[in-house]
């Protein structure tokens, strides 16, 4: 099994105004870009060698960040194998990563009472 977990600091929002606010916003954008680049590098390094053995890829984490990674052409083969559902991942730690197969293998069951008409999706 191959894995890569980690976290990076991305400056939080600030209540400061004027030049300070602009400086913090620039720093935040730069840090977020660096975090996305590191995530793309890790995904390429860890997953692409296994590409021939993958049937599907289930994505999770922050949806906007994952969507931003779609622009990285190296990851196109992985996004071509995308399967749902998108998983909400609370914390990028190894234990969370190891627990995710339970989530994407789960089966949703909806019980419908006799005489009740199923709604959308059921």
């Amino acid at each position: 099994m191959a894995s890569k977990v980690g976290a990076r600091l991305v400056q939080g929002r600030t209540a400061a105004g004027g030049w300070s606010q602009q400086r913090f916003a620039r720093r935040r954008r730069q840090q977020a870009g660096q975090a996305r680049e590191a995530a793309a590098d890790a995904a390429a390094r860890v997953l692409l060698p296994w590409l021939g053995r993958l049937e599907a890829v289930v994505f999770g984490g922050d949806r906007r960040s994952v969507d931003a990674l779609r622009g990285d052409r190296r990851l196109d083969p992985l996004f071509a194998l995308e399967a749902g559902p998108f998983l909400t991942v609370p914390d990028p730690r190894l234990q969370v990563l190891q627990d995710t197969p339970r989530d994407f293998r789960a089966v949703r069951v909806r019980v419908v009472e006799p005489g009740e008409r199923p709604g959308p999706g059921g």
Side-chain angles (χ1 to χ4, degrees), residues 31-81:
Q31 290 171 340
Q34 290 170 344
R36 281 190 300 272
E37 184 65 28
D41 291 345
R45 184 176 62 254
V46 173
L47 296 174
L48 289 177
W50 294 91
L51 190 61
R53 298 181 65 187
L54 297 176
E55 292 181 28
V57 177
V58 177
F59 291 91
D62 179 68
R63 188 177 295 273
R64 286 184 298 190
S65 295
V66 172
D67 287 343
L69 294 178
R70 292 179 192 280
D72 190 316
R73 297 292 132 221
R74 296 175 297 167
L75 304 181
D76 283 350
L78 298 173
F79 282 109
L81 296 174

Side-chain angles (χ1 to χ4, degrees), residues 1-121:
M1 178 173 111
S3 66
K4 170 67 175 98
V5 295
R8 285 180 169 258
L9 172 69
V10 175
Q11 178 76 39
R13 299 190 190 278
T14 180
W19 292 105
S20 292
Q21 184 176 4
Q22 293 171 11
R23 184 176 70 249
F24 281 116
R26 280 192 307 274
R27 184 178 301 155
R28 180 175 170 76
R29 281 191 304 272
Q30 180 183 16
Q31 290 171 340
Q34 290 170 344
R36 281 190 300 272
E37 184 65 28
D41 291 345
R45 184 176 62 254
V46 173
L47 296 174
L48 289 177
W50 294 91
L51 190 61
R53 298 181 65 187
L54 297 176
E55 292 181 28
V57 177
V58 177
F59 291 91
D62 179 68
R63 188 177 295 273
R64 286 184 298 190
S65 295
V66 172
D67 287 343
L69 294 178
R70 292 179 192 280
D72 190 316
R73 297 292 132 221
R74 296 175 297 167
L75 304 181
D76 283 350
L78 298 173
F79 282 109
L81 296 174
E82 185 173 5
F86 189 90
L87 301 177
T88 301
V89 179
D91 193 20
R93 301 287 180 235
L94 183 57
Q95 187 60 50
V96 172
L97 180 65
Q98 290 172 336
D99 289 343
T100 56
R102 175 190 61 225
D103 295 337
F104 67 78
R105 290 181 175 162
V107 176
R108 290 187 174 94
V109 176
R110 180 170 178 223
V111 177
V112 178
E113 296 294 326
E116 182 182 340
R117 297 190 64 180

